[in-house]
């Protein structure tokens, strides 16, 4: 199923805007939020058809850096943690212009933990699927214009932006990240437990 999904993503032609242009602006309001642990694993990541290779270390580092870049700007008093598993990816190779210019893609499962409550905010992982930012090479695709490392960095930044949109939606609809002065103090969730959860989500 994952390979079938990734194959379809290679043919998508819907445009997207660059996701890192707003990093110099004030962060989107998220309430009382601060990212504490930012755990990313990629041990079960599936490489899509016709994709350039990426190591587990490259995948985890790129996603982790992008999450830190976007969510490290928040300085609330309530601590939250991310448990993220990379499920699959396509780093496009050069294709045939106008006919089959492969598109890069990244699929993540994301779980958000509330440190004070000592549990997950979303019982089921949120699956995030992002494509490359179109516009830099709208016809020929980034397989011609970017290295694999550049593609992965862009996809990870797009994924971080998509996670931000998810958090904003959950804050508006479910009341996430509201300050709770009555909440009991709790010790920080241990990174090892988050890694276990991220692995289970994959």
């Amino acid at each position: 199923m994952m390979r079938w999904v990734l194959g379809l993503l290679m043919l998508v032609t819907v445009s997207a805007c660059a996701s890192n242009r707003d990093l110099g602006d004030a962060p989107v309001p998220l309430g009382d939020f601060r990212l504490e642990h930012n755990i990313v694993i990629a041990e079960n990541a599936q490489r899509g058809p016709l994709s350039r290779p990426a190591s587990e270390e490259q995948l985890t580092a790129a996603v982790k850096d992008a999450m830190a870049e976007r969510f490290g700007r928040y300085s609330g008093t309530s601590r939250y943690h991310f448990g993220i598993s990379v499920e699959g990816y396509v780093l496009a190779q050069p294709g045939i212009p106008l006919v089959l210019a492969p598109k890069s893609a990244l699929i993540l499962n994301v779980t958000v933990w509330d440190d004070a409550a000592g549990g997950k905010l979303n019982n089921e992982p949120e699956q995030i699927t992002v494509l490359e930012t179109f516009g830099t090479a709208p016809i020929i695709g980034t397989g011609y214009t970017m290295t694999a490392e550049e593609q992965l960095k862009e996809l990870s930044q797009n994924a971080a932006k998509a996670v931000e949109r998810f958090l904003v939606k959950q804050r508006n609809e479910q009341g996430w990240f509201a300050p709770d002065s009555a909440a009991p103090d709790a010790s920080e969730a241990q990174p090892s437990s988050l890694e276990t959860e991220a692995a289970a989500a994959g």
Side-chain angles (χ1 to χ4, degrees):
M1 177 63 73
M2 182 66 68
R3 293 188 182 279
W4 178 78
V5 171
L6 289 170
L8 284 181
L9 288 175
M10 295 174 66
L11 301 178
V12 173
T13 57
V14 178
S15 63
C17 297
S19 62
N20 62 343
R21 293 176 181 171
D22 63 342
L23 290 175
D25 302 332
V28 175
L30 273 182
D32 188 19
F33 173 90
R34 173 161 60 94
L35 180 61
E36 190 76 10
H37 291 308
N38 174 21
I39 304 300
V40 181
I41 65 169
E43 58 188 21
N44 297 318
Q46 295 188 31
R47 175 183 169 186
L50 304 180
S51 173
R52 292 165 165 167
S55 68
E56 181 179 341
E57 292 74 19
Q58 288 173 315
L59 292 167
T60 56
V63 174
K64 188 178 180 72
D65 287 349
M67 296 298 166
E69 178 183 44
R70 178 162 295 276
F71 295 102
R73 302 178 298 160
Y74 293 90
S75 57
T77 60
S78 297
R79 300 174 297 193
Y80 294 89
H81 317 297
F82 289 167
I84 299 174
S85 65
V86 181
E87 297 295 295
Y89 69 95
V90 171
L91 301 178
Q93 300 186 52
I96 304 173
L98 300 177
V99 179
L100 181 59
K103 302 299 185 288
S104 299
L106 185 66
I107 300 176
L108 309 176
N109 278 350
V110 180
T111 302
V112 183
W113 289 71
D114 182 337
D115 186 82
K120 296 178 287 187
L121 288 179
N122 54 318
N123 289 324
E124 294 296 327
E126 178 72 7
Q127 187 160 101
I128 301 290
T129 302
V130 295
L131 304 177
E132 67 186 51
T133 299
F134 306 138
T136 54
I139 296 177
I140 62 176
T142 59
Y144 285 98
T145 61
M146 288 183 170
T147 66
E149 290 76 15
E150 290 170 333
Q151 289 173 320
L152 185 53
K153 180 178 180 179
E154 181 184 86
L155 286 170
S156 298
Q157 289 175 331
N158 290 353
K161 181 65 177 180
V163 171
E164 182 184 76
R165 293 193 191 101
F166 168 64
L167 298 187
V168 169
K169 177 177 180 289
Q170 293 301 100
R171 182 197 177 204
N172 293 337
E173 296 181 0
Q174 304 296 329
W176 285 16
F177 315 129
D180 185 0
S181 59
D185 291 337
S187 60
E188 292 185 13
Q190 295 301 312
S192 59
S193 65
L194 292 175
E195 289 171 347
T196 301
E197 179 64 29

